[in-house]
Amino acid sequence: MRRYPKAKERRVSAHEPEVQKSRFAVLRAAARSGIILTLLFLSLFCYLFGSLYQLVGHTHNLNVAFVDYDGGLIGDAVRQAYQRLRGDSFPTLIEHPSGQYPQPAALRSAVCNIDYWGALYISAGASDRLATAISDAQAAASYNRSDVLTWVWNEARYPTVIDTLAQQITALAEAARVAYVQLNGTGAIQSLDATSLAAVEAYSNPWELASINIQPTAQGSRLVYNTLVIVLLLIQEFFFLATINGLYVQFGLFGRLKPRRMIIYRFMISGLYTLAGSICTTGAIWAFRAEWQVNGSQWALTWITLWLFAHLNFLTLDVVAVWLPPPYVPMGLITWVVLNISSILIPFELSPAFYKWAYALPAHACYSVLIDIWSGGCNPRLGYALPVLFAYELSSGTLSAIGVYRRAHYAVIAAEREEKSWQEKIASAIADSGGASAPIQGAGTAEGVEVAKEEDVESSAYPQRKSSAESASDREELAGRIWRATSQMTLGQSSSQRKDSLGPSFTLG
């Protein structure tokens, strides 16, 4: 193309032996990487899909407490309806005597303490009030349909899952209404005050399921709290880590500063960056919270939790970047992302038992803390979640600090190797010139090149300093060889630095 005239210059034939050798090497490397990536992504897909395998069939692992404070016909109707709906795809209803939970507030505490995913109870005297409303017009006028069956739940705890559970409990209440008519059909019809519209309505629609939602969470953004929010935080830390490594390589800091000072600087920089990132993330969540009832204290706690989670992931990804070969670092990132996301997509009750090992992953611990914050303490897992988060912070911080020493060590080795290569290139250039010139002091460095230039100028100014066999063309040829050799070293310097950076790096400027 005319816009890129140099694109076709200095090209060799594809049939050249060296090109064919390089081509086969490239094909082998590409095939190896392709096989590894294919197997990796196949494994990740299988792991992710396995966590969701037979999701509906595990619904029976969601336990719901049931207490009948009434002890009448309505309780029998609920039991009969549950027996019809009972199955692997329906939550398990566990009935308790009223003495175990004397007041409905005790059931709310049980749900808040995550003993159950929800609780269903029948108000005391509900059957008698319904029977009176059917037969007495005056009682029917004051009959409260919402004071019969009550559903207690916490929508902040995996909102999409708990919403489906609430729909199934609503279906149970509807089925119980049909069962009530079947159990008390003849008696209700005989006692029905047909002259009262309120009595007829009480008979046809005896109750409406009341709801006690500990923390309503109906905003649309709730769908990504346990998915995209976590994914973007992880990717954000990876890119910033690559940027920091690129700056360290670009300015040669690994080979110049003391490791202890670099550890302190990296910890401070990463701490400030994750501080700002977590503030922005929390601010975005609050900006689009809609009618979500959360306060300033919950905002601060959410910010601190996300800050800790972001920083420990920066350190963990830094450890991955240090100890994995550079070509495999992106593979480590995607594996880390998929493992963490799979641990919080759905509750472990809906996954095969194998996936419970993910209690040890920071994303699950972080989301458990967030649920506790958002629902006002109704997810008491801080005793497990906080130690997991701090364990990652400490262990990854320690390994990351060791990684700085490792980088500094190999940076010095790379510098020594580069200096030796400079010396060999310049010595080779001098040797190729016929050895006419004397060895140049410090030829292996950039200063040596400058000295060579100065000596070349001096020799032309003072002919007595050069041998009789040396000519101007020899000097020019020698200088040209030296500059060509040093230019090749300069071109290969960036790739050498990137190879020895031991991690992802983006060079800026």
Side-chain angles (χ1 to χ4, degrees), residues 44 47-52 117 158 225-227 230-231 234 309 313 335-352 354-368 371 381 384 388-389 392:
L44 294 178
Y47 183 88
L48 180 61
F49 294 153
S51 66
L52 304 172
W117 279 87
Y158 288 93
Y225 291 163
N226 61 332
T227 52
I230 301 300
V231 170
L234 294 177
F309 176 72
N313 274 283
T335 301
W336 182 248
V337 170
V338 171
L339 292 179
N340 277 276
I341 289 301
S342 299
S343 70
I344 55 177
L345 275 177
I346 58 174
F348 288 140
E349 288 86 344
L350 299 181
S351 297
F354 163 77
Y355 288 87
K356 290 185 178 180
W357 77 270
Y359 273 114
L361 291 175
H364 189 272
C366 176
Y367 192 61
S368 296
I371 294 175
R381 288 186 173 177
Y384 128 77
V388 169
L389 295 176
Y392 274 95

Side-chain angles (χ1 to χ4, degrees), residues 66 68 70-80 95 122 127 183:
F66 172 59
D68 183 6
D70 175 52
L73 197 59
I74 296 178
D76 295 335
V78 171
R79 296 182 189 93
Q80 181 175 321
E95 185 171 2
I122 303 174
S127 295
L183 290 173

